[in-house]
Every structure is written in C-alpha cells, then in structure tokens.
Amino acid sequence: DAGVIQSPRHEVTEMGQEVTLRCKPISGHDYLFWYRQTMMRGLELLIYFNNNVPIDDSGMPEDRFSAKMPNASFSTLKIQPSEPRDSAVYFCASSFRLADYEQYFGPGTRLTVT
Amino acid sequence: GNSVTQMEGPVTLSEEAFLTINCTYTATGYPSLFWYVQYPGEGLQLLLKATKADDKGSNKGFEATYRKETTSFHLEKGSVQVSDSAVYFCALSLSGGYNKLIFGAGTRLAVHP
C-alpha cells in the first residue's frame, strides 16, 4: 500500500484566501484523523471520523475550519478565510479499528499564510 | 482527565550513549501505551507499543515497559546512533473503541557523532 497520501505537500497563500488540504487514507482503514503541529502548541487533534462520520470535532479551532469525508477514500480540511496564525504542518492519519489503535500518518502539508 | 507528560527536551547525547526519555500518564481504565517517532520532515510513525501492565514493547533497539504501579512508560535505548535523532512522542489510547490517541508534547533527541 502507498500509505496515507496528503496533498499538497506545501501551500503558501495570502491571508483571507481559502485553503483546502486533501487526504487519502490507507485502503480498508475506517478511522481518519486530522492533526495540526506547531512549535508553540505541539501536536493537536482537530477532528476525527469513523466510517466517514465525524465523531469528535472539539479540536477544530473555530468556524473558519471545516472537514469533510465524502467517502472512505477521501477527506478534506478547509480553512476559509485563512489567517497567518493558521500556519502549521497539518497531518492526516488513518487506522483500522482492530489494529489496537495504531495510527498511520501521512507526510503532512506545510501551510504558510502570509 | 487523560493526559501524557514527557520530559522536556532537547536531549543531546553523544553516539553510543544510553538514552532514557521519561513518560508518565494519567488515565481512566486500562489504556494501551505507545511511542511514536517523527524524523525530520516526516509524519509520525509507530516505534513500539504495550497493551497491558508489565508488557514490554521493543523495536530497533528501543524498549519501554508498561508500569501500572508508577503509571510510566519510559523509553530506553542502550546505545544511540546519529540516525536516532528525531522527536519522540509518548501516547495513550482512550477507551471507547474510537481509536483516539492522547499524545505527549514530544521530546527532541539530538545525537552527535
């Protein structure tokens, strides 16, 4: 398997623009997680899905952030409008319910908002 | 509540030195415990895990033992290499069947030749 795929790997955008991050989980995995990593706040769980249904979005910072999972093989994290404080590395991870919680992380998307 | 506390970094060692990174946890129930590693520019990857008390997880020369009495899961390696330079995250699972993990803040390890 190719592992968790994220795109783009790098995104530079101006404040106020819409940003969409994409994730393809490992085939057969039924959990998908979105994390954000910054030097100041470390690794934060934003939202996670089980069988395409959002289970817990309490980590989503504010209404500017939204996430969807229209099918088992695709998820998006959207920021609209973006702000400089959104600059971070965003990771997607997936796991299989019987795999004792092991999560497989993608390579991340480095977002810079100027 | 559920939480993980790791020793602050960075930890700087010379090659072949002994490594210990401390991790303690607070949890309800009986969590599984994990160490993840993040190499520069990459996502996290599972290093080792232990699912019940007194279990020892091991991989690539790293070891950690699940100590219920001290609520600890310290990471050790007898002889580190430059290639071990990375950020190490301790984590615990939450009960409830949703595969959610609680991560510590991470400890950066730098190994010099």
Side-chain angles (χ1 to χ4, degrees), chain A residues 60-71:
Chain A
M60 296 286 262
E62 47 198 276
D63 292 346
R64 297 185 297 106
F65 286 68
S66 63
K68 294 182 179 179
M69 192 166 186
N71 56 61

Side-chain angles (χ1 to χ4, degrees), chain B residues 23-62:
Chain B
C23 171
T24 57
Y25 68 90
T26 302
T28 55
Y30 302 96
S32 294
L33 301 173
F34 305 80
W35 278 101
Y36 279 76
V37 58
Q38 183 180 27
Y39 298 104
E42 299 182 10
L44 282 70
Q45 55 186 274
L46 181 65
L47 179 61
L48 55 84
K49 66 182 180 183
T51 58
K52 60 184 187 297
D54 299 325
D55 270 2
K56 177 185 284 187
S58 61
N59 186 24
K60 299 181 181 179
F62 291 89

Side-chain angles (χ1 to χ4, degrees), chain A residues 1-6 24-27 104-107:
Chain A
D1 199 312
V4 176
I5 299 173
Q6 291 187 249
K24 176 179 169 54
I26 293 173
S27 177
Y104 293 80
F105 282 72

Side-chain angles (χ1 to χ4, degrees), chain A residues 30-35 44-60 67-69 75 77 91-95 101 103, chain B residues 94-102:
Chain A
D30 43 10
Y31 289 89
L32 184 138
F33 305 82
W34 282 102
Y35 292 89
E44 303 173 274
L45 176 64
L46 300 178
I47 185 172
Y48 72 100
F49 296 82
N50 176 219
N51 291 325
N52 314 336
V53 176
I55 300 300
D56 183 354
D57 65 355
S58 60
M60 296 286 262
K68 294 182 179 179
M69 192 166 186
S75 177
L77 178 67
F91 289 102
C92 176
S94 69
S95 70
Y101 303 94
Q103 295 183 13
Chain B
L94 286 186
S95 60
Y98 285 131
N99 278 26
K100 182 177 177 180
L101 295 175
I102 299 293

Side-chain angles (χ1 to χ4, degrees), chain A residues 75-113:
Chain A
S75 177
T76 59
L77 178 67
K78 186 176 294 186
I79 308 173
Q80 166 63 18
S82 58
E83 296 182 4
R85 60 193 167 120
D86 301 331
S87 297
V89 180
Y90 291 81
F91 289 102
C92 176
S94 69
S95 70
F96 179 55
R97 64 181 174 84
L98 296 181
D100 198 23
Y101 303 94
E102 177 176 353
Q103 295 183 13
Y104 293 80
F105 282 72
T109 295
R110 181 173 295 278
L111 173 65
T112 303
V113 184

Side-chain angles (χ1 to χ4, degrees), chain B residues 19-21 35 37 39 47-48 56-64 74-81 83-86 88 109 111:
Chain B
L19 168 71
T20 299
I21 300 178
W35 278 101
V37 58
Y39 298 104
L47 179 61
L48 55 84
K56 177 185 284 187
S58 61
N59 186 24
K60 299 181 181 179
F62 291 89
E63 293 183 341
H74 305 321
L75 182 68
E76 296 181 336
K77 186 175 186 183
S79 175
V80 294
Q81 305 300 311
S83 57
D84 294 327
S85 298
Y88 293 81
L109 169 67
V111 180

